[in-house]
Amino acid sequence: MLASCTRPPEDQDGAMDGHQLASDYLIFPPGPGDAEDLAQVHVRAWRQTYPGLLPDLYLARLSTPLHARRWRKRLLKATPGEVDLVAGDRSGLVAYVSGGPTRGGAEDEAEITTLYVLKSAQGQGLGRRLLAGAARALMAGGAGALTLTVLRGNDRAVAFYDRLGGMAGPAQVRRGPGGGLVSEIPFRWPEIAELAAMDLED
């Protein structure tokens, strides 16, 4: 998987093609056979989300075959504690979420590494369903808290996580994709159970 700035759900904006509801999509754990579709979602999501935030040349050079190989390798060799969920319908996949143990190594804390919803499927709560589903799986693995980071400037993602009760921390600067410096905003949910129940409240 790529670096931590790749975490833009953007679930609340964008027109829906066909006005589907989140419940119209099937959410399930992917297998190696889904690697190509996952790679396509990944590349499209980056190109939809990051213009002006990451170098244009880097976005143009994103390779679907390369990411398909990475996904296939990840899905063929499961790592304990890692969680992947995808969402799609008969026309294909439109979103996914990935998570696992935190990079900081905290025993009771998990981390969402990526959450993408294509623009064609935004605005109906699908991002919330994916995030809550991942939170439930991570909680079942022993996590009591959840973290993630968002690329600064991805205002839709920041607003999305803020509405879901995430506690934002000070921005952190690091070297990002394309070689430049990026600024990330960390979010944390001290009680993962509250997030895990989010899509069950309606």
Side-chain angles (χ1 to χ4, degrees):
M1 302 302 291
L2 292 183
S4 61
C5 69
T6 63
R7 300 170 184 174
E10 296 189 314
D11 185 54
Q12 70 277 14
D13 292 331
M16 288 288 294
D17 291 345
H19 305 285
Q20 283 184 272
L21 300 175
S23 58
D24 294 332
Y25 293 102
L26 179 65
I27 293 178
F28 59 95
D34 297 305
E36 180 71 22
D37 287 346
L38 274 162
Q40 291 177 7
V41 172
H42 181 91
V43 170
R44 287 179 61 193
W46 276 56
R47 290 174 176 166
Q48 291 176 355
T49 303
Y50 291 132
L53 299 179
L54 294 178
D56 290 342
L57 183 59
Y58 178 84
L59 295 176
R61 289 179 173 175
L62 288 172
S63 167
T64 298
L66 173 63
H67 287 289
R69 289 194 295 273
R70 290 176 174 174
W71 268 113
R72 195 169 292 109
K73 181 179 178 180
R74 174 182 173 94
L75 295 171
L76 282 170
K77 188 177 181 181
T79 300
E82 287 186 347
V83 173
D84 297 301
L85 295 173
V86 298
D89 58 13
R90 291 181 179 179
S91 64
L93 300 185
V94 297
Y96 75 87
V97 63
S98 295
T102 61
R103 288 166 296 170
E107 292 184 2
D108 64 342
E109 192 170 85
E111 182 175 5
I112 294 295
T113 51
T114 54
L115 173 56
Y116 294 112
V117 178
L118 294 180
K119 284 187 176 180
S120 62
Q122 290 174 12
Q124 300 297 322
L126 186 55
R128 186 178 71 165
R129 283 188 64 200
L130 283 167
L131 185 60
R136 285 194 292 273
L138 293 166
M139 183 173 66
L146 186 70
T147 66
L148 53 82
T149 62
V150 180
L151 189 65
R152 188 173 183 178
N154 188 354
D155 297 334
R156 293 172 178 174
V158 170
F160 172 74
Y161 291 126
D162 183 68
R163 285 199 309 277
L164 294 186
M167 300 171 59
Q172 304 167 353
V173 177
R174 68 170 191 83
R175 192 161 300 281
L181 295 178
V182 297
S183 180
E184 296 179 333
I185 301 172
F187 279 84
R188 188 173 189 272
W189 286 262
E191 298 293 337
I192 194 173
E194 294 180 3
L195 186 60
M198 195 76 69
D199 70 333
L200 304 178
E201 295 174 354
D202 295 339

